[in-house]
Amino acid sequence: MENIQGKIVVITGASSGMGAAAARHLAAKGASVVLGARRAERIEALAAEITEPGGKATSVATDVTKRDDVEKLVDTAVQTYGRIDVLINNAGIMPLSPMDRLKVDEWDRMIDVNLKGVLYGIAAALPRMIEQKSGHIINLSSVAGHKVFGGSTVYSATKTGVRIISEGLRQEVAPHNVRVTIISPGAVKTELLDHISEADVREANQDYVGQVGVPAETFARLVAFAISEPEDVGINEILFRPTAQEL
């Protein structure tokens, strides 16, 4: 884990769940974290929590569906700390629903956040990393990016898309000494399920994840593992589930 010390890490979706857990964990290991999320008050509070005992954290209100916001987030990291070493494209939404319920606005939103948000992060960070000849982009897919289940069709499509984007990016940036990692979580206990608009789908998923889900800190440890490997080693994909999860 010594390779985390001193790294400048930008995290989207840092206001709760896996993003917040990763911020706390990496800051405790000596990284400077730059936190982006729409809920400004939450990331401000998290930054204060990290800095009070001596950690380094900055927060920037960020909507990943707005390219200018994501550019500002990365620019703030470079202006504050001089560089960007790691980008964690963590922001995502999961409003699961059967296709025949025609939640078209939710489909659009998933494409905007889960796919375009990742692309905007790459567009903001990649030129800096190529110039530095070093960097690490970590993109969040999901078990649903490997398997489709009832109600997950559009969500699974976006998360499969993240995997394709990440693998293509990995091949293209390898000559620039930039690493790319896909992390695909299974059932993790976060707020993600609270935003499912269909009550029956929400309750079924909350019941299941409540029984078998692992805490967000599991994700944080795996992010730290991927970052901590030396620069000549790329951890290209991590797929993790609770031991009890069958799907």
Side-chain angles (χ1 to χ4, degrees):
M1 294 297 173
E2 64 273 9
N3 288 327
I4 296 172
Q5 179 76 34
K7 290 242 172 117
I8 313 306
V9 182
V10 174
I11 307 172
T12 68
S15 60
S16 64
M18 294 188 292
R24 292 186 180 97
H25 191 67
L26 296 173
K29 294 190 175 300
S32 299
V33 293
V34 182
L35 313 174
R38 289 182 300 113
R39 295 177 290 186
E41 70 287 349
R42 286 209 180 187
I43 52 173
E44 289 167 4
L46 179 56
E49 174 192 326
I50 290 168
T51 56
E52 184 184 11
K56 294 182 179 180
T58 303
S59 65
V60 182
T62 306
D63 181 343
V64 298
T65 69
K66 299 177 181 177
R67 185 176 176 185
D68 287 348
D69 277 18
V70 183
E71 291 279 357
K72 181 182 177 183
L73 176 64
V74 171
D75 285 347
T76 299
V78 175
Q79 291 162 8
T80 305
Y81 299 109
R83 59 188 290 117
I84 173 174
D85 296 305
V86 182
L87 169 66
I88 304 175
N89 275 316
N90 167 74
I93 58 172
M94 191 179 69
L96 303 175
S97 66
M99 294 288 287
D100 62 5
R101 298 190 191 178
L102 300 179
K103 308 293 284 191
V104 178
D105 288 345
E106 292 181 355
W107 302 349
D108 287 341
R109 184 71 177 162
M110 277 189 279
I111 290 167
D112 287 344
V113 175
N114 297 355
L115 276 178
K116 292 172 71 175
V118 168
L119 290 168
Y120 290 162
I122 292 167
L126 189 57
R128 305 279 193 176
M129 293 180 176
I130 289 175
E131 183 181 5
Q132 294 167 181
K133 294 183 169 52
S134 70
H136 192 172
I137 296 174
I138 299 175
N139 294 329
L140 268 288
S141 180
S142 169
V143 165
H146 296 257
K147 291 179 174 288
V148 182
F149 53 90
S152 83
T153 303
V154 178
Y155 178 70
S156 290
T158 64
K159 289 304 185 177
T160 301
V162 170
R163 292 179 58 225
I164 300 301
I165 290 165
S166 301
E167 173 57 16
L169 178 66
R170 182 195 68 78
Q171 295 178 28
E172 293 180 15
V173 300
H176 301 289
N177 195 40
V178 175
R179 300 188 292 176
V180 178
T181 300
I182 308 162
I183 300 186
S184 297
V188 178
K189 295 177 181 178
T190 71
E191 296 178 8
L192 203 58
L193 300 175
D194 298 345
H195 305 294
I196 298 174
S197 63
E198 300 295 276
D200 58 333
V201 179
R202 182 177 63 249
E203 290 167 10
N205 280 274
Q206 285 176 331
D207 288 347
Y208 180 74
V209 174
Q211 292 173 21
V212 307
V214 294
E217 289 73 20
T218 307
F219 167 77
R221 292 195 304 272
L222 291 170
V223 167
F225 163 65
I227 295 171
S228 67
E229 285 298 293
E231 279 196 355
D232 62 345
V233 177
I235 304 299
N236 303 134
E237 185 161 12
I238 297 173
L239 169 61
F240 75 93
R241 299 175 174 88
T243 303
Q245 181 175 345
E246 296 177 0
L247 181 68

